[in-house]
Amino acid sequence: MEKETTSERIIEAAIELVSKKGYKATTTKAIADLAGVNEVTIFRNFGNKRGILNAVIQKFSYGPLLQKVIQEQATWDLEYDLYHFSTQYQNYMFSIKEYVLISFKEAGAFPEIDQEVAKIPLFIKQELVAYFCEMEKRGKLTDVDIEAIAMTFIHLNFGHFISRARLGSSVTKISTEDIFKTSISIFSRGLTP
């Protein structure tokens, strides 16, 4: 239990420091000081700064939530499920909006951030592909490139999130709910036999 508590303190300290100072200026020594641990404890728990970065990204990953939603709440009604997945995604992403925007600000200068962040959409893609494959087995999906529709669905959701997170309602006053009702309806009709 103590190890989890120590790891969590280290992760929280890293998040706070990266938010304030940026990734480059955040050192393992500064993280250790803020977390109230010895720097050796960081290396023992995470290996290095990138290990902490990976833990932070995993903490904020939507992938496990999507996996749980699919496993426990899928109705195998395409339009209903996709709307539900989108709603869950938007709610979650807006709850961590500040951290997502920080990761984009930092990513371009640090390839390791891009490499770690890329694991999130890869995991989400994997879960969506599994869902769409099951829909295809059930005869509820037209013969389409499943990876392509999974990526299209990811882009639809992430694109909306980024647009709203950065621009608010300056581009459109249409609510997120109405945008997704319309887009998911159109998307679903194009995939239904």
Side-chain angles (χ1 to χ4, degrees):
M1 190 68 167
E2 179 60 32
K3 186 175 181 180
E4 290 177 358
T5 303
T6 299
S7 294
E8 190 60 33
R9 282 197 332 257
I10 292 167
I11 290 168
E12 292 301 322
I15 292 168
E16 183 178 332
L17 289 169
V18 170
S19 296
K20 290 179 181 175
K21 298 170 132 188
Y23 181 72
K24 183 176 183 177
T26 299
T27 64
T28 54
K29 172 127 178 52
I31 293 168
D33 290 346
L34 186 59
V37 300
N38 188 300
E39 194 173 12
V40 173
T41 304
I42 288 179
F43 300 131
R44 198 175 314 125
N45 284 285
F46 298 99
N48 54 29
K49 186 172 161 181
R50 184 167 180 167
I52 298 170
L53 172 66
N54 183 46
V56 168
I57 289 169
Q58 291 311 309
K59 176 181 173 78
F60 291 115
S61 174
Y62 173 71
L65 177 60
L66 175 64
Q67 184 179 52
K68 185 177 180 183
V69 168
I70 290 172
Q71 290 172 356
E72 298 176 4
Q73 299 173 13
T75 64
W76 309 108
D77 174 294
L78 186 64
E79 187 170 342
Y80 177 87
D81 285 346
L82 295 182
Y83 181 77
H84 184 63
F85 300 162
S86 293
T87 301
Q88 294 286 322
Y89 178 83
Q90 296 302 319
N91 289 341
Y92 182 75
M93 292 299 283
F94 275 98
S95 76
I96 62 165
K97 175 178 90 168
E98 277 38 326
Y99 302 111
V100 174
L101 295 176
I102 288 168
S103 75
F104 275 97
K105 179 180 147 193
E106 295 285 329
F110 303 100
E112 64 266 30
I113 294 176
D114 286 337
Q115 291 167 357
E116 294 301 325
V117 168
K119 293 176 183 177
I120 296 171
L122 285 170
F123 185 81
I124 293 170
K125 179 182 78 169
Q126 174 186 338
E127 293 303 311
L128 288 170
V129 164
Y131 171 81
F132 289 128
C133 283
E134 181 60 30
M135 289 297 285
E136 186 177 53
K137 284 181 198 168
R138 292 172 182 238
K140 296 184 173 191
L141 202 64
T142 58
D143 185 24
V144 293
D145 181 331
I146 289 179
E147 182 179 2
I149 62 171
M151 291 308 301
T152 301
F153 187 68
I154 290 169
H155 294 149
L156 169 73
N157 278 277
F158 189 69
H160 177 76
F161 164 72
I162 287 296
S163 176
R164 283 287 159 105
R166 294 283 295 138
L167 305 172
S169 60
S170 63
V171 175
T172 183
K173 303 293 183 211
I174 301 171
S175 70
T176 296
E177 180 181 351
D178 288 341
I179 286 173
F180 277 98
K181 281 183 180 174
T182 301
S183 58
I184 298 296
S185 175
I186 293 166
F187 191 79
S188 298
R189 273 187 268 143
L191 299 175
T192 305

